[in-house]
Amino acid sequence: MASQTQTLPEFRNEPYTDFSVPANRRAMEAALEKVRAEFGHEYDLLIGGEWVKTVDKFRSLNPSNPSEVVGVHQKATPDLAARAIEAAYAYFPDWSATLPAERVRKLLRTAQLLRERKIEFDAWLVYEAGKTWPEAEAEVAEAIDFCEYYAREMLRLATPQPTVQMPGEKDEMIYLPLGVGVIIPPWNFPLAILAGMTVAALVTGNTVVIKPSSDTPTIAAKFAELLLEAGFPARSFCFLPGSGSAVGDVLVEHPKTRFVCFTGSRDVGLRINELAAKPQKGQRWIKRVIAEMGGKDAIIVDAESDLDKAVDAVAASAFGYQGQKCSACSRAIVDQRIYDEFLAKLKPKAEAITVGPSDQPGNFMGPVISERAKRTILDYIEVGSKEGKTITGGGEAVGNGYFVKPTIIADIDSKARIFQEEIFGPVLAVTKAKDFQHALKLANDSEYGLTGAIFSNNPEHVREAREKFFVGNLYVNRKCTGAMVGAHPFGGFNMSGTDSKAGGPDYLLLFLQAKSIAERVS
Ligand code: NAP
């Protein structure tokens, strides 16, 4: 890679639009109307620079009102998946040879286009992912942040890397792209995670096949269109909606696949890891797997803490976006001395939460993503009601959409299923701890290790949590959701994944390989 001279202003997180300002509110209403007028449009696959239609189609729905079809999509087949990998492989020599500065320019253009259409993307997220206005806004801002942050990171990595100089030699280390990457995002951050994983791979010189979630393919299609508009060549990426169970294995196992970048559930992540580890006929490398998976995130509330702040943070982390964040608080572990008071304060907070269609700004919680998700969550609520005491919620909320009430189940033992298993909905298990040491032990009693928070005014307890709370993202006296690009590089331990630290200085290295060159000069 040629060294770069381009410099950019220091990275800054994208500010959020304030929807209490009447003009912004009107702009959002207009965007919702515009997007609604595009409901039901058909989107094609993109393979080797060509738009492709399939006989079978599938539809994505508005989870606030499932009778509305947001987009109609082609359904990739295993043959098309193999074709997509071959097409991305064929273009890799061209794309990997482009100068990093040129790729960075396209990425900055992507950020700029997203910024210009921020409110429109907000509206797509409201309708296809069931995000409330502020949740949608935070996601689009995060997508912009990934583009801006990785653009700067690429410039840093394209400069000569520091090496010790041996006498009589010129010693260098440079970074090269890997090859064809398969990008598999989840539906819960269908823009930010998809965009982050995709642009990290592209800006480092890899070509990719993007397989979006079947629940949110329209947002993905909109982002694919934006990449083209920003100047990414139509052959640098393939866009391949379709069922993960139908095409996933072909993409992962293909001998020309060099790496897989996945975010999603534990089970799918483990399957990808296993399949990718087995070399296929003609394969010349060990595939790299970047897998960010589930969470069972806990907030510890110490006896010595600001209880009101802790209650607010638990409510926001447990019920924001209907508890469908990998970082959502699904376990509150509370010191026995303040346990009853904590519950007494939390219950009315949950009961004050408004649940309904996400396009109506008065609702704090929208729908869960699908009928299937709703059923799973309701089943867990049933299990939880036997494992503990349901304090509030405990079932569906009224309306046409997939609405579930914010639910708190107290007196949960650490062996309980709802303490151990990821539910991915608005269900909070509350557990009593004997003291701080016990709380820490309970928090770590999980196969996951993604985010966690502690509320405590005791410096010794905070010190201990920093040392022993085994999570990739630890927060002290604040909520456990809302990681910001640059400030909180994101990724988890244990079954939460490979700890990739998205939005941090280690991330782009996952998409590169280092070449060391020593030349004798005297
Ligand atoms: P999922 O069911 O694992 O699906 C994720 C993606 O994998 C989708 O695109 C899906 O496609 C695809 N897929 C399904 N089966 C596949 C297979 N056999 N081979 C290859 N790909 C396959 O997860 P989800 O329900 O979308 O997302 C929720 C999960 O993501 C939660 O566990 C959450 O904690 C996790 N998550 C983690 C992070 C993190 O940073 N750690 C961030 C966000 C979410 P289809 O949609 O077509 O099935």
Side-chain angles (χ1 to χ4, degrees):
M1 284 175 190
S3 80
Q4 305 295 300
T5 49
Q6 193 178 349
T7 51
L8 294 171
E10 203 185 331
F11 171 78
R12 289 260 176 275
N13 294 108
E14 183 68 20
Y16 295 158
T17 307
D18 177 356
F19 291 117
S20 67
V21 174
N24 293 340
R25 220 179 164 86
R26 280 196 298 276
M28 183 63 179
E29 280 158 5
L32 287 166
E33 221 170 285
K34 178 174 186 287
V35 161
R36 178 171 274 282
E38 287 185 46
F39 273 12
H41 278 197
E42 190 171 323
Y43 302 86
D44 294 350
L45 310 178
L46 179 66
I47 300 177
E50 285 169 15
W51 296 107
V52 176
K53 284 195 192 296
T54 57
V55 178
D56 282 347
K57 321 272 178 203
F58 71 102
R59 302 168 319 155
S60 76
L61 309 177
N62 173 6
S64 294
N65 183 2
S67 62
E68 292 177 330
V69 175
V70 176
V72 177
H73 294 267
Q74 316 304 317
K75 205 175 197 176
T77 59
D79 281 352
L80 287 171
R83 214 171 100 190
I85 297 287
E86 294 285 353
Y89 185 78
Y91 194 64
F92 175 68
D94 291 290
W95 180 244
S96 59
T98 54
L99 288 177
E102 192 185 326
R103 302 195 298 259
V104 164
R105 260 194 301 279
K106 295 180 195 309
L107 185 48
L108 292 170
R109 179 80 188 125
T110 306
Q112 186 51 31
L113 289 172
L114 267 177
R115 200 172 280 122
E116 287 163 17
R117 290 178 214 160
K118 201 170 175 207
I119 298 220
E120 192 177 325
F121 270 94
D122 284 353
W124 282 109
L125 285 165
V126 165
Y127 280 132
E128 197 175 47
K131 298 223 163 184
T132 57
W133 295 17
E135 293 286 354
E137 173 68 15
E139 175 162 359
V140 183
E142 188 179 19
I144 296 169
D145 284 351
F146 279 135
C147 296
E148 292 282 349
Y149 187 86
Y150 295 150
R152 285 160 178 78
E153 280 296 291
M154 188 62 239
L155 292 180
R156 176 175 73 83
L157 294 170
T159 57
Q161 300 300 303
T163 45
V164 170
Q165 296 299 307
M166 295 304 287
E169 281 186 7
K170 183 171 180 248
D171 296 306
E172 293 168 81
M173 191 181 81
I174 57 171
Y175 287 113
L176 305 179
L178 294 170
V180 176
V182 175
I183 307 291
I184 309 180
W187 50 262
N188 71 330
F189 283 85
L191 178 68
I193 292 183
L194 177 141
M197 300 197 305
T198 301
V199 302
L202 287 174
V203 79
T204 42
N206 303 284
T207 53
V208 295
V209 175
I210 307 168
K211 206 302 288 168
S213 162
S214 298
D215 287 313
T216 49
T218 313
I219 292 157
K222 293 286 165 192
F223 184 70
E225 287 169 4
L226 193 108
L227 283 177
L228 295 175
E229 205 179 323
F232 283 96
R235 293 177 65 201
S236 62
F237 67 94
C238 296
F239 179 62
L240 197 86
S243 150
S245 53
V247 299
D249 290 1
V250 176
L251 294 171
V252 171
E253 288 183 315
H254 198 289
K256 288 183 179 143
T257 295
R258 177 65 180 81
F259 66 98
V260 182
C261 186
F262 167 82
T263 307
S265 62
R266 169 194 178 280
D267 290 355
V268 175
L270 289 179
R271 178 181 174 82
I272 287 173
N273 196 43
E274 189 179 340
L275 291 183
K278 191 166 185 296
Q280 303 295 323
K281 197 164 179 292
Q283 185 180 319
R284 306 190 110 172
W285 41 67
I286 297 173
K287 288 176 189 169
R288 198 177 281 182
V289 175
I290 305 156
E292 292 310 316
M293 294 146 41
K296 192 71 201 175
D297 312 304
I299 295 185
I300 293 176
V301 187
D302 195 11
E304 299 165 63
S305 61
D306 183 328
L307 197 52
D308 290 322
K309 286 203 177 113
V311 165
D312 284 347
V314 168
S317 309
F319 303 126
Y321 190 38
Q322 297 78 265
Q324 301 175 116
K325 296 181 189 177
C326 53
S327 55
C329 170
S330 53
R331 297 180 295 153
I333 299 171
V334 184
D335 191 294
Q336 60 178 351
R337 283 163 283 180
I338 51 157
Y339 185 81
D340 291 341
E341 197 186 346
F342 172 83
L343 281 177
K345 284 178 183 267
L346 184 64
K347 182 173 185 285
K349 289 254 176 241
E351 285 171 353
I353 287 175
T354 42
V355 186
S358 50
D359 60 347
Q360 293 173 19
N363 292 323
F364 176 82
M365 266 176 53
V368 299
I369 191 69
S370 63
E371 178 64 34
R372 198 171 61 148
K374 188 179 83 177
R375 284 262 61 88
T376 306
I377 296 163
L378 293 176
D379 286 350
Y380 269 114
I381 289 176
E382 181 78 29
V383 169
S385 69
K386 297 191 184 95
E387 292 178 324
K389 186 168 154 212
T390 305
I391 299 288
T392 189
E396 287 185 62
V398 289
N400 288 339
Y402 308 126
F403 301 119
V404 179
K405 288 182 186 161
T407 297
I408 301 171
I409 307 179
D411 305 344
I412 290 297
D413 185 82
S414 63
K415 299 285 167 287
R417 282 184 62 199
I418 71 156
F419 188 94
Q420 294 291 344
E421 296 172 20
E422 187 183 43
I423 301 172
F424 225 54
V427 184
L428 175 73
V430 188
T431 300
K432 193 185 283 182
K434 291 196 216 69
D435 53 23
F436 178 72
Q437 308 305 329
H438 185 219
L440 202 49
K441 195 162 167 242
L442 287 167
N444 284 335
D445 183 3
S446 170
E447 66 172 4
Y448 294 108
L450 188 48
T451 76
I454 164 187
F455 275 81
S456 178
N457 295 329
N458 179 328
E460 184 50 30
H461 290 174
V462 172
R463 190 199 60 71
E464 237 180 289
R466 292 172 73 102
E467 203 178 290
K468 296 183 186 153
F469 199 161
F470 199 64
V471 290
N473 286 70
L474 177 67
Y475 300 102
V476 179
N477 291 325
R478 54 149 283 178
K479 62 181 181 159
C480 65
T481 52
M484 299 298 289
V485 171
H488 315 127
F490 194 80
F493 298 162
N494 295 343
M495 284 297 176
S496 289
T498 54
D499 188 35
S500 67
K501 291 295 185 271
D506 299 342
Y507 194 64
L508 287 197
L509 292 175
L510 300 169
F511 300 83
L512 292 163
Q513 52 198 339
K515 182 170 183 178
S516 171
I517 304 167
E519 183 181 351
R520 177 144 291 285
V521 287
S522 64

